[in-house]
Amino acid sequence: MLTQLKVSLKARTRTKYSILLENGVLSNWQSWLSIHCPDKQIVIITDKIVENLYAYSFSKKLTNNGYNVLLLSIKPGEESKVQKTKEYLELEMLKAKFGRNTLLIAFGGGIVGDLAGFVAATYMRGIRYIQLPTTLLSMIDSSVGGKTAINTPYGKNMIGVIYQPSLVVMDLSLLNSLSKVLIVNGLIEALKIFLTLDNKSFTYARLNINKLIEREPHSLKSVIARAVKLKVKVVRIDEFEENLRMILNFGHTIAHALEKLSNYHILHGYAVALGILVEAKISQLMGFLSSENYDLISRVFYSIGISKEMLSAFNADEVVSIAKGDKKNHSGKIFFILLKDIGEVYTKNDRVATPVDEKYILQAFNSLL
Ligand code: GLY
């Protein structure tokens, strides 16, 4: 006879967290850290660049104030976001005898955030962590929403878990050390979310694009806050990406393939921009997006330095072959997020991801070359 026992769990406790967005909030660390780290046990995961700029001096301040701090620094770049680095970090933490009362701080860009978040999720079955993003891209996208992951030879972010941080600390003054290319890299993710959800914010970003690239504080803060608010709204509805959250993947089916084909030499935002151009073109070819809207979108991307030539470095058949392994796919079909309008995704039966015939992908790709 079948025995059926019911498991009914309490809701997870970490379902609420704050996002601090301010100039200089890092220097006020005492005000937020004491609440999140009463036991004063801290592991900071960072990369060599951020270590030299901010993390080393930050860790010294903590040590001088009685915290037990382990600073672990990885080589910058996507090649570090792999199982081997994760294991190295975990073993260092175990060797130094950090327990379950440890607070982990992911101090860096998206690579550090995804990797350190994954370490936090599995270390002794899960410890608390703070996201402290240092790039515009990680402020706008990866530090919020709890996605953690590592890459594999079979694709980007293939192994990971959704594990929410206890706090996200965005200090706008950290953006001052970024190059213009890295500012553009981050703005692309803001344009992505505006294109899928918020026509007004897309127009705001489009009209202020030069100010944004020059990091004019008021418009930059406004764009970050708008993008983060939209992302929070999406994650609240669909934390585990069963449907709506997939819209954040607009441009990413193509982008992930480009990143893999370039051995991760192309920057994520730039790959997303090319992905958006191809996926918006597919939306137009399939009759969902008007050509006027496609032209408006492409003009914005061309104005920030994205060019067709960047796409010509890739072979369309190879891109399609990698896109076949995308996480959104099922039933042997390649799924894309497509646009119906600026600020609105095409949906069918309430599903936001749409199966696309290969011929449209190749046609879109080739029409852009
Ligand atoms: N980066 C996309 C997401 O958080 O869902």
Side-chain angles (χ1 to χ4, degrees):
M1 200 177 84
L2 177 72
T3 307
Q4 189 178 355
L5 303 174
K6 294 238 160 94
V7 180
S8 165
L9 303 175
K10 273 200 275 176
R12 282 182 47 183
T13 47
R14 208 170 305 127
T15 51
K16 278 188 192 156
Y17 56 94
S18 299
I19 299 167
L20 310 178
L21 170 61
E22 209 43 77
N23 216 36
V25 69
L26 181 59
S27 351
N28 288 332
W29 59 270
Q30 316 233 24
S31 64
W32 44 266
L33 197 58
S34 54
I35 306 164
H36 291 276
C37 190
D39 292 337
K40 298 200 161 187
Q41 301 293 315
I42 291 197
V43 173
I44 300 175
I45 295 181
T46 188
D47 68 28
K48 298 279 177 215
I49 298 172
V50 178
E51 177 184 2
N52 292 335
L53 284 169
Y54 314 111
Y56 179 76
S57 60
F58 180 59
S59 75
K60 283 286 150 235
K61 278 184 203 148
L62 300 187
T63 310
N64 293 341
N65 281 274
Y67 285 82
N68 179 28
V69 184
L70 174 66
L71 178 65
L72 294 172
S73 188
I74 62 167
K75 202 170 143 224
E78 203 75 45
E79 68 267 30
S80 288
K81 207 175 118 177
V82 290
Q83 186 66 50
K84 215 169 103 193
T85 322
K86 182 173 182 270
E87 188 186 16
Y88 156 76
L89 297 167
E90 290 159 345
L91 294 182
E92 288 299 309
M93 288 167 66
L94 290 169
K95 191 164 77 185
K97 300 202 177 339
F98 277 85
R100 297 180 72 178
N101 58 347
T102 304
L103 174 75
L104 194 153
I105 300 182
F107 199 168
I111 292 164
V112 164
D114 282 12
L115 176 64
F118 195 20
V119 170
T122 57
Y123 190 75
M124 297 193 175
R125 300 205 180 94
I127 58 173
R128 286 161 303 135
Y129 76 113
I130 290 180
Q131 286 281 9
L132 216 166
T134 54
T135 61
L136 185 58
L137 184 77
S138 54
M139 289 186 192
I140 282 174
D141 189 41
S142 57
S143 64
V144 175
K147 274 197 180 172
T148 75
I150 50 171
N151 301 331
T152 72
Y154 299 96
K156 207 182 163 188
N157 296 336
M158 283 297 177
I159 307 289
V161 61
I162 292 180
Y163 187 67
Q164 302 296 338
S166 302
L167 179 72
V168 184
V169 179
M170 301 185 188
D171 187 336
L172 299 178
S173 72
L174 304 189
L175 300 178
N176 294 335
S177 57
L178 295 185
S179 63
K180 189 167 159 179
V181 165
L182 289 182
I183 294 290
V184 171
N185 196 44
L187 287 176
I188 290 164
E189 284 284 1
L191 293 171
K192 173 211 75 180
I193 197 161
F194 298 156
L195 278 171
T196 56
L197 283 171
D198 186 356
N199 184 345
K200 276 193 187 142
S201 291
F202 182 75
T203 305
Y204 177 85
R206 181 168 67 79
L207 298 177
N208 289 284
I209 202 75
N210 292 329
K211 279 193 199 168
L212 288 165
I213 292 175
E214 295 309 322
R215 291 163 239 235
E216 190 279 310
H218 173 75
S219 45
L220 198 54
K221 188 172 177 186
S222 166
V223 157
I224 299 171
R226 285 166 188 255
V228 170
K229 273 187 200 156
L230 289 167
K231 178 153 187 190
V232 167
K233 218 163 143 181
V234 170
V235 174
R236 275 189 70 177
I237 296 171
D238 181 24
E239 180 183 6
F240 295 105
E241 201 168 296
E242 283 156 343
N243 185 23
L244 181 70
R245 187 166 179 171
M246 284 186 225
I247 64 168
L248 302 174
N249 237 260
F250 176 50
H252 284 59
T253 312
I254 296 295
H256 285 164
L258 302 182
E259 288 180 275
K260 187 162 187 289
L261 285 170
S262 77
N263 261 328
Y264 298 102
H265 286 316
I266 187 168
L267 289 171
H268 178 68
Y270 283 74
V272 171
L274 294 174
I276 288 175
L277 290 178
V278 175
E279 295 180 21
K281 182 52 99 176
I282 296 173
S283 311
Q284 185 201 335
L285 293 172
M286 289 179 71
F288 306 141
L289 184 72
S290 71
S291 48
E292 292 75 23
N293 277 336
Y294 176 79
D295 290 343
L296 187 69
I297 295 168
S298 58
R299 273 202 303 275
V300 176
F301 285 98
Y302 295 146
S303 80
I304 57 173
I306 307 302
S307 67
K308 293 180 179 184
E309 288 67 47
M310 291 174 177
L311 201 59
S312 56
F314 297 93
N315 175 293
D317 293 314
E318 283 178 351
V319 172
V320 170
S321 153
I322 294 175
K324 285 182 178 160
D326 190 86
K327 292 194 284 308
K328 290 186 293 304
N329 298 343
H330 58 87
S331 324
K333 294 191 176 126
I334 309 180
F335 280 73
F336 282 85
I337 303 303
L338 300 175
L339 292 185
K340 185 172 160 197
D341 201 346
I342 293 181
E344 192 180 350
V345 160
Y346 170 79
T347 58
K348 192 170 173 194
N349 301 328
D350 282 335
R351 301 298 302 172
V352 299
T354 305
V356 171
D357 198 290
E358 260 181 67
K359 76 171 183 217
Y360 287 115
I361 312 172
L362 294 172
Q363 209 181 325
F365 210 94
N366 292 327
S367 77
L368 284 164
L369 297 180

